[in-house]
Amino acid sequence: SWHSRSTQHGRQVGSSDGSVVNSVCVDYTATGHFPKPQANLVGGLPRNDFIYRPDTLSVCELERLHSDCIERINKYRTGELKFSDGTDDANVLAGLPIVVEWTGNNRCSSHQAIGDLFYNVNNGGACEGGHHTSFSCPVSGGGSQNTCCARGGGAFADQTAVVTYDLMKEYLFHCLQAMWDEGITPGK
C-alpha cells in the first residue's frame, strides 16, 4: 500500500490516510471558480476560508467521485435504483439513454461547484445557489446539470466535516436520491 504523499503543481496527490483509488489518475481539483452564471473563470478561490481540496481526499478519490456520480445517475436511468417509495419512474419504464461521463469537463464542473458554494454561503445557505453557475462549462450536444445543496460544515445544522471519500460519496448519493425523488410527483 502507498503511504507517502507527493505534490503535483503545489497540490497533494495522496490523501492523508494514504489511500489509493487508482494507480494513475487525473487531478480535477478546482483551480478557480465561476463567480456568476456564464461568467469567465476566475483563478483562485473566492474566499480565504475555502479550500481547493481537503488533504484527506486524494486526487484519485476526487476523480472517482466524478465517476461515482455518473454511475449512480445511470442506475436511476436504467431502473436499477428507484424512487424512495419503491415506485418506478414512467420515463425510465419508457426507456432513457445512459449518461456518458465527459471527463474533459470534470475540472470545469469542479469550478462550477466552487462558484455555486460561494453563492450559497453568501446568500443564506440551504439550497441557495444550486444551479447558479450551470452551463458555465461548455456542453457537447444536449446536456443537463445539477448541484447538490451544501451539506456538512454547518449547512442544515449538520456540523459534520465532509472531507473523506466515503463521506463525500454518502452525501452525494443522498443528494442524488433526493433529486431523483423530485420526480415522484409528476410535473414537479
Side-chain angles (χ1 to χ4, degrees):
S1 127
W2 176 64
H3 290 287
S4 66
R5 296 188 312 185
S6 60
T7 60
Q8 176 182 3
H9 306 295
R11 279 184 249 117
Q12 235 172 266
V13 294
S15 67
S16 62
D17 68 0
S19 63
V20 173
V21 177
N22 298 313
S23 59
V24 176
C25 57
V26 177
D27 186 357
Y28 295 129
T29 303
T31 56
H33 67 284
F34 292 104
K36 59 185 180 181
Q38 314 302 303
N40 290 327
L41 179 67
V42 174
L45 294 172
R47 292 173 46 141
N48 290 334
D49 58 342
F50 281 23
I51 59 173
Y52 288 101
R53 181 181 38 80
D55 288 343
T56 51
L57 184 74
S58 72
V59 295
C60 294
E61 290 168 322
L62 177 59
E63 178 185 43
R64 183 72 222 150
L65 283 168
H66 281 272
S67 297
D68 289 339
C69 182
I70 296 297
E71 290 169 10
R72 189 69 166 202
I73 289 168
N74 282 329
K75 286 182 179 185
Y76 291 113
R77 294 177 70 83
T78 63
E80 183 178 340
L81 294 175
K82 302 182 181 308
F83 292 130
S84 291
D85 67 2
T87 60
D88 291 302
D89 183 296
N91 293 315
V92 169
L93 295 175
L96 290 174
I98 63 166
V99 175
V100 176
E101 182 177 7
W102 190 17
T103 57
N105 236 19
N106 281 350
R107 176 169 283 160
C108 191
S109 72
S110 293
H111 295 146
Q112 284 183 231
I114 293 288
D116 288 351
L117 180 61
F118 177 63
Y119 185 89
N120 174 275
V121 168
N122 287 328
N123 289 281
C127 287
E128 281 301 317
H131 320 297
H132 181 69
T133 63
S134 63
F135 301 107
S136 293
C137 297
V139 294
S140 176
S144 60
Q145 296 179 331
N146 280 317
T147 302
C148 294
C149 302
R151 294 286 190 246
F156 295 100
D158 180 355
Q159 297 301 321
T160 305
V162 185
V163 295
T164 65
Y165 170 80
D166 288 336
L167 269 177
M168 287 183 190
K169 183 176 175 181
E170 177 185 329
Y171 277 67
L172 171 65
F173 284 6
H174 180 267
C175 166
L176 292 173
Q177 183 68 55
M179 281 194 241
W180 190 253
D181 286 346
E182 291 173 5
I184 289 175
T185 305
K188 292 198 175 200

